[in-house]
Amino acid sequence: MEPKLCILVGHDECQSFDLQYGKTYSVGRSSDNDITIKDNNISRHHFTIRSEMGKYFITDLNTKNGTFVGGNDISPGVEVEVDERAPIVIGMTALGLGEVCETCLKYFLDSVGICSERCENGELSRPERVHAIKKNLEFIYNINNGLDASKDLKEIYEKVLSNVFSLLKRIDRCAVVLTNKDSGKIAKVIYRSRKPVDDPKNLYSRELVEHTLMLQKAVMVSDSSTQENEDDKITESMRLKNIRSAMCVPMCSCFQTRGAIYVDSFEKPCGFRKSDLVLLKDAGSRAALAMDNITLSETIGYKNHD
């Protein structure tokens, strides 16, 4: 499989550049580079890239706007290995490596909401798309790393709440709703709110959560004052609680349903995008898996202790 560099988002989208093993290529907006990227927001000479034995290595050339790989900006002047599955973002351009970038990686970028950012003329806005890539990738990397490092279930709940609040600036509340394994009924609610909560029992739409758990799918209500839902009780209950928009996703693993993640906004209609729902759904799946791992570790620990 020949190494290559592909433009996933930006000018000349879908164009690819073949790379030779062992050769170092310069990448930037200047025409004297080995690979020229038409983007005024990147440096004339932005980074170098080389491929060795199926691996890729890039070096940021002390650029003004930096080079964003996966979930982080890389240090300038330091060569770093880059996985094929990690998008590279420079300026208003998103790049990918290898054959996987034209299939799996492109699909991944679309799945986390890149195609939902539209201009008034219906075309995709590159600045918004690239900003979305960075924001969404950072969220996925942060929550994944946070969940992996969690030592107990309580820490998992806190990581979910913290990362969701960091991602979704428009939300007023976020709740991790846990269900009983046997009965499936709501057993516990851990929440975070931007403002003090007068009644903890009234901090989410029970109808929306129960609907989500029953269907086992992500549900979004963009505007409770106008939207017709599959179940009128949902929008009616939201209006009674003065909730304008909300999202809810199940926390499901291969083994069981753990509960749901719920977020809402009191004043902002259409406060969430479809890409936000996709990311929240991804967080729900990752949280459920992390909870399974913690439970399994605790079970093994108890047995070894006995």
Side-chain angles (χ1 to χ4, degrees):
M1 189 177 297
E2 294 298 320
K4 64 171 59 179
L5 178 70
C6 309
I7 300 177
L8 301 177
V9 176
H11 198 281
D12 296 327
E13 190 166 306
C14 296
Q15 182 178 359
S16 62
F17 306 90
D18 293 330
L19 308 176
Q20 295 180 12
Y21 285 116
K23 180 178 179 180
T24 299
Y25 294 81
S26 60
V27 181
R29 74 170 192 271
S30 176
S31 59
D32 64 356
N33 285 286
D34 298 304
I35 298 174
T36 302
I37 305 295
K38 298 176 183 177
D39 185 341
N40 290 330
N41 294 282
I42 69 173
S43 298
R44 294 180 66 253
H45 301 95
H46 202 98
F47 69 84
T48 60
I49 181 171
R50 67 183 181 89
S51 178
E52 293 282 356
M53 303 296 291
K55 297 180 180 180
Y56 293 90
F57 302 88
I58 68 172
T59 304
D60 178 90
L61 301 176
N62 295 289
T63 57
K64 180 180 179 180
N65 293 327
T67 303
F68 189 88
V69 177
N72 299 284
D73 286 300
I74 64 172
S75 300
V78 179
E79 185 178 69
V80 297
E81 182 178 347
V82 181
D83 190 279
E84 280 191 355
R85 297 166 295 179
I88 302 167
V89 181
I90 56 173
M92 298 300 168
T93 303
L95 307 167
L97 301 171
E99 299 290 343
V100 69
C101 70
E102 295 179 305
T103 53
C104 299
L105 188 51
K106 180 65 174 174
Y107 175 80
F108 167 74
L109 292 179
D110 292 343
S111 73
V112 294
I114 308 309
C115 286
S116 66
E117 308 294 340
R118 299 279 173 178
C119 296
E120 292 182 358
N121 62 2
E123 296 296 326
L124 292 172
S125 166
R126 286 207 307 274
E128 288 184 343
R129 292 172 74 191
V130 174
H131 173 73
I133 292 174
K134 287 186 174 183
K135 180 188 72 171
N136 295 350
L137 288 175
E138 185 175 8
F139 171 76
I140 291 172
Y141 274 75
N142 286 345
I143 197 166
N144 191 62
N145 292 338
L147 293 174
D148 284 346
S150 297
K151 297 179 178 62
D152 53 41
L153 295 177
K154 182 180 178 180
E155 191 171 354
I156 288 176
Y157 310 147
E158 291 300 324
K159 294 291 185 183
V160 169
L161 295 174
S162 176
N163 280 282
V164 170
F165 256 85
S166 295
L167 174 73
L168 305 174
K169 304 300 183 183
R170 298 181 178 185
I171 66 173
D172 289 301
R173 301 178 301 188
C174 177
V176 175
V177 182
L178 304 176
T179 55
N180 182 278
K181 180 180 178 181
D182 299 319
S183 67
K185 295 182 178 180
I186 296 173
K188 187 178 182 180
V189 180
I190 302 95
Y191 69 93
R192 180 175 295 186
S193 175
R194 295 195 187 279
K195 297 179 180 178
V197 175
D198 295 329
D199 183 5
K201 295 181 180 180
N202 196 34
L203 56 81
Y204 65 96
S205 169
R206 177 178 285 270
E207 289 77 11
L208 179 56
V209 171
E210 290 179 345
H211 187 71
T212 298
L213 292 172
M214 179 182 69
L215 297 180
Q216 291 291 289
K217 72 174 186 179
V219 180
M220 177 169 63
V221 178
S222 298
D223 189 346
S224 63
S225 66
T226 60
Q227 183 172 331
E228 293 184 2
N229 198 274
E230 301 173 28
D231 188 343
D232 290 337
K233 291 182 179 179
I234 297 175
T235 49
E236 183 180 349
S237 72
M238 288 177 60
R239 286 193 291 268
L240 290 173
K241 292 181 172 67
N242 296 316
I243 301 170
R244 196 66 183 272
S245 56
M247 296 189 296
C248 189
V249 301
M251 292 192 297
C252 298
S253 67
C254 298
F255 304 103
Q256 69 179 96
T257 299
R258 293 282 185 169
I261 300 175
Y262 168 92
V263 300
D264 66 19
S265 175
F266 294 130
E267 300 177 355
K268 295 181 175 64
C270 304
F272 308 114
R273 300 182 177 92
K274 289 183 179 179
S275 59
D276 296 328
L277 188 65
V278 172
L279 286 172
L280 196 64
K281 181 180 178 181
D282 181 81
S285 298
R286 293 176 188 273
L289 179 60
M291 292 165 72
D292 285 347
N293 290 336
I294 291 291
T295 302
L296 179 61
S297 297
E298 291 177 347
T299 300
I300 294 175
Y302 291 146
K303 288 183 178 179
N304 290 338
H305 184 269
D306 293 339

